[in-house]
Amino acid sequence: MGFTGVRKLKTKPKGDIVTTLDVGSSKVVCLIARIDGQGTASVVGIGHQISLGVRAGAIVDMEAAETAIRHAVASAEEMSGESIREVTVNLAGGAPASQIVYSEVPVVGGEITDADLRRALKAHNSAVIPADFQTIHAIPVSYTIDGSNGIRDPRGMYGEHLGMDIHLVTAKATAVRNLATCINRGHLDIDAFVVSPYAAGLACMVEDERELGSAVIDLGGGSTSIGVFFEGRLVFADCIPVGGHHITKDIARGLTTPIQEAERVKTLHGTAMAGIGDDRETIDVPQVGEDDPGHMIQVTRSILTGIIQPRVEEIFELVRSRLEASGFDKIAGRRVVLTGGGSQLTGVRDLAQQVLDKQVRLGRPQGLFGLTEQSNGPAFATAAGLLTYALRHQGELMLTSAEMDPEPEEKPAGLMSRIGGWFKENL
Ligand SMILES: Nc1ncnc2c1ncn2[C@@H]1O[C@H](COP(=O)(O)OP(=O)(O)OP(=O)(O)O)[C@@H](O)[C@H]1O
Ligand SMILES: [Mg+2]
């Protein structure tokens, strides 16, 4: 089974099951949900496993990653009593890149139909995609009819020329292939790949946030991903290969303590911002290489914060500069939803607010039944959002992987690649 196993999402019949797989740098999560008579998903199987062989969202050890995936899937299968064959998978690695491209087609028969939309989506100029990248998402974000901008749904309207601004999210083809191979080796087909910030936004944002314009930041272990939603659609996605693991490593180095201890100290005592009384509170820290486990040094909390704060500041400064460089900072407005395991660090919200100069709220998965106390936390946002994606995007305008990246000779000639009028109008 190869990567060509990726297909268009099919409409799921009621009573059917949907399965998602989040292959993260810290953990692999598999969720199995059953769709009830009303079309609502209830989680019936949860499997999670410490991640191995994944760094900054990319596979670095195929065998280890495959084993972690198999175990997570097996636990979810056992809990649900279901045997699964297809999964919707997140893509965190592969340096996901975002761009808005414009596509225009003549309308056949005057009235715009689904078929015209599909032709416009297919006709995008794929010459803008670097040779070693492949399309993960092609999301229509706005339409133009005979030069009139800002149309949200042109179906049923009349015109001669249909223009479409498409948000293309691409990723390195080799990273996608490595992940696909690990999953296929476990005898699973891939229903769709979804970039992490897309899933995180679907899980944690309320509809108004996605509609009015907001950003989601998923602070993971090996990476921090950013998504911007506007008018209900994902309009920008990016990923920075720095996350909670880097904070842990800084602590391990700074306090000469083993990684495991640094992780413990971070989650129990770590804060992202200095507070009153930090000089008086001391923390016992075991030393690396010491045979005597009782041999500890004592550090004040302010020393610990002095290690954590610059790294977290660096992460949010990178987020800010990526958003500013993208041109989507203004579209994202003043609202940020912060999620991912790293968002549990004490004080991280205040620091994010300060560096980004936006209103930040902490997000966790919403609107799903059957998640346990533990699997309802921010670290499970991506896995939960994948379920929402798999359900909501059924029957939507989507391209098969073959259609997304046509061979060069099939590329339509004379199409413009530009930032759409829609985008300019909303700045
Ligand atoms: N209470 C806590 N305080 C601080 N950090 C925490 C806390 N709980 C978890 N973390 C950190 O969250 C990170 C893991 O987050 P998450 O589970 O979202 O990562 P992941 O999805 O596996 O990784 P990625 O998205 O980068 O591939 C780890 O670095 C961990 O130390
Ligand atoms: Mg993650």
Side-chain angles (χ1 to χ4, degrees):
M1 252 179 297
F3 174 52
T4 45
V6 176
R7 291 181 305 275
K8 188 171 65 148
L9 281 183
K10 296 186 296 283
T11 305
K12 302 262 190 281
K14 294 187 177 97
D16 205 350
I17 59 159
V18 180
T19 307
T20 68
L21 192 61
D22 171 11
V23 184
S25 308
S26 301
K27 47 142 195 18
V28 177
V29 181
C30 176
L31 295 182
I32 302 178
R34 193 172 289 128
I35 309 164
D36 69 12
Q38 276 76 48
T40 315
S42 297
V43 177
V44 290
I46 304 166
H48 62 97
Q49 183 72 27
I50 289 178
S51 186
L52 295 167
V54 185
R55 196 171 299 150
I59 308 287
V60 291
D61 180 338
M62 296 278 273
E63 218 163 292
E66 190 193 327
T67 309
I69 292 168
R70 272 179 198 263
H71 283 143
V73 170
S75 314
E77 282 185 326
E78 197 178 319
M79 180 173 164
S80 65
E82 301 279 357
S83 174
I84 58 165
R85 290 205 342 263
E86 281 179 349
V87 286
T88 300
V89 183
N90 84 308
L91 184 75
S98 229
Q99 54 191 317
I100 301 278
V101 295
Y102 181 70
S103 166
E104 195 173 294
V105 290
V107 178
V108 181
E111 186 183 341
I112 297 162
T113 61
D114 272 334
D116 296 303
L117 264 53
R118 210 173 160 71
R119 274 192 305 114
L121 192 59
K122 265 169 95 168
H124 72 260
N125 184 2
S126 45
V128 294
I129 304 166
D132 52 343
F133 274 60
Q134 75 175 75
T135 309
I136 306 300
H137 300 287
I139 308 163
V141 288
S142 180
Y143 301 93
T144 307
I145 301 176
D146 300 339
S148 300
N149 284 327
I151 293 158
R152 283 190 74 165
D153 189 353
R155 282 172 294 189
M157 295 174 78
Y158 290 85
E160 286 176 5
H161 293 278
L162 171 68
M164 184 188 267
D165 286 308
I166 304 166
H167 175 204
L168 283 186
V169 185
T170 57
K172 272 190 193 140
T174 46
V176 178
R177 176 155 246 143
N178 286 337
L179 181 56
T181 307
C182 277
I183 295 165
N184 291 158
R185 278 190 194 162
H187 306 292
L188 292 169
D189 277 344
I190 297 159
D191 229 358
F193 276 115
V194 182
V195 289
S196 297
Y198 198 170
L202 291 177
C204 304
M205 285 170 150
V206 295
E207 212 159 310
D208 273 354
E209 286 169 333
R210 285 194 295 267
E211 192 60 34
L212 299 170
S214 314
V216 62
I217 302 171
D218 180 350
L219 188 50
S223 62
T224 300
S225 47
I226 315 157
V228 175
F229 284 75
F230 183 68
E231 293 187 341
R233 289 141 182 165
L234 180 79
V235 294
F236 174 71
D238 205 348
C239 183
I240 299 159
V242 190
H245 289 338
H246 298 78
I247 306 171
T248 304
K249 274 196 202 151
D250 289 347
I251 297 171
R253 275 198 212 106
L255 303 181
T256 55
T257 191
I259 292 275
Q260 221 175 327
E261 289 299 333
E263 181 72 20
R264 190 186 63 85
V265 166
K266 177 179 81 170
T267 48
L268 281 181
H269 307 285
T271 49
M273 275 180 106
I276 304 156
D278 282 358
D279 278 333
R280 290 193 297 272
E281 198 179 329
T282 56
I283 302 155
D284 289 335
V285 183
Q287 292 297 284
V288 72
E290 279 290 342
D291 291 335
D292 173 13
H295 184 90
M296 307 254 193
I297 59 158
Q298 289 192 324
V299 295
T300 59
R301 191 199 274 264
S302 57
I303 290 180
L304 181 61
T305 312
I307 297 171
I308 297 173
Q309 185 163 352
R311 180 61 90 170
V312 184
E313 263 167 6
E314 182 205 12
I315 295 174
F316 290 126
E317 270 158 18
L318 283 168
V319 170
R320 191 185 60 196
S321 61
R322 291 286 180 101
L323 274 174
E324 282 170 2
S326 75
F328 279 96
D329 190 39
K330 286 212 174 71
I331 283 198
R334 298 214 7 98
R335 186 76 164 167
V336 170
V337 179
L338 181 62
T339 191
S343 71
Q344 295 168 104
L345 178 70
T346 309
V348 76
R349 175 175 169 263
D350 294 335
L351 189 58
Q353 207 144 271
Q354 188 177 302
V355 178
L356 300 170
D357 190 24
K358 289 183 194 285
Q359 271 176 6
V360 180
R361 78 165 176 89
L362 297 178
R364 50 171 59 230
Q366 297 186 349
L368 271 179
F369 299 100
L371 286 178
T372 57
E373 184 72 32
Q374 194 192 14
S375 58
N376 201 19
F380 287 77
T382 302
L386 289 170
L387 275 184
T388 312
Y389 181 92
L391 286 171
R392 279 237 201 116
H393 294 251
Q394 291 161 22
E396 268 198 14
L397 197 62
M398 277 188 77
L399 297 181
T400 59
S401 54
E403 285 172 327
M404 278 183 176
D405 295 313
E407 292 304 311
E409 58 273 19
E410 289 177 25
K411 280 175 188 166
L415 286 179
M416 290 178 287
S417 169
R418 53 154 204 151
I419 299 265
W422 160 84
F423 173 59
K424 283 190 203 132
E425 270 174 20
N426 283 292
L427 280 179

